[in-house]
Amino acid sequence: MHQSVPDVATGVFQLIAADLNRDGHQDLVTASRFAVFVQIANGPGSYEPRRTFALDHGIGGMEVADLDADGSLDLVVGAGKRALVFLNNR
């Protein structure tokens, strides 16, 4: 079974599916060369409009993990010679 996801940005080369807001639905984090996009699931097959985080350096990779031990998944993005941390406050 597959499912199409509306509103995914063009040029996306990386995708992570993870339950960012702990509601039991898989949210999407995608990346293009200079931006990260987050789409929170409203339920099966339904997503909020994507949130865009533009970066000034090319993205080399990204990962989700609970970095601050609060029970929510956070996002780490490698961009140029930097690692950018997005702490989840949801």
Side-chain angles (χ1 to χ4, degrees), residues 6 14 16 26-27 32 48 51 56 66 68 70-71 73-76 84-85:
Q14 197 164 15
I16 295 174
Q26 294 294 301
D27 307 307
S32 65
E48 294 178 3
R51 297 174 189 155
D56 58 357
D66 184 4
D68 55 358
D70 66 352
L73 294 174
D74 307 303
L75 175 65
V76 178
L84 306 173
V85 177

Side-chain angles (χ1 to χ4, degrees), residues 15-90:
L15 176 136
I16 295 174
D19 186 3
L20 299 174
N21 59 352
R22 300 183 292 169
D23 66 354
H25 301 289
Q26 294 294 301
D27 307 307
L28 299 178
V29 181
T30 55
S32 65
R33 182 79 176 123
F34 291 100
V36 172
F37 310 97
V38 177
Q39 289 177 266
I40 302 297
N42 289 327
S46 175
Y47 293 87
E48 294 178 3
R50 74 176 180 244
R51 297 174 189 155
T52 302
F53 301 91
L55 304 174
D56 58 357
H57 286 82
I59 296 170
M62 60 183 185
E63 188 62 59
V64 294
D66 184 4
L67 300 173
D68 55 358
D70 66 352
S72 295
L73 294 174
D74 307 303
L75 175 65
V76 178
V77 178
K81 295 181 180 181
R82 299 180 292 172
L84 306 173
V85 177
F86 296 86
L87 294 177
N88 187 346
N89 60 6
R90 262 195 135 164

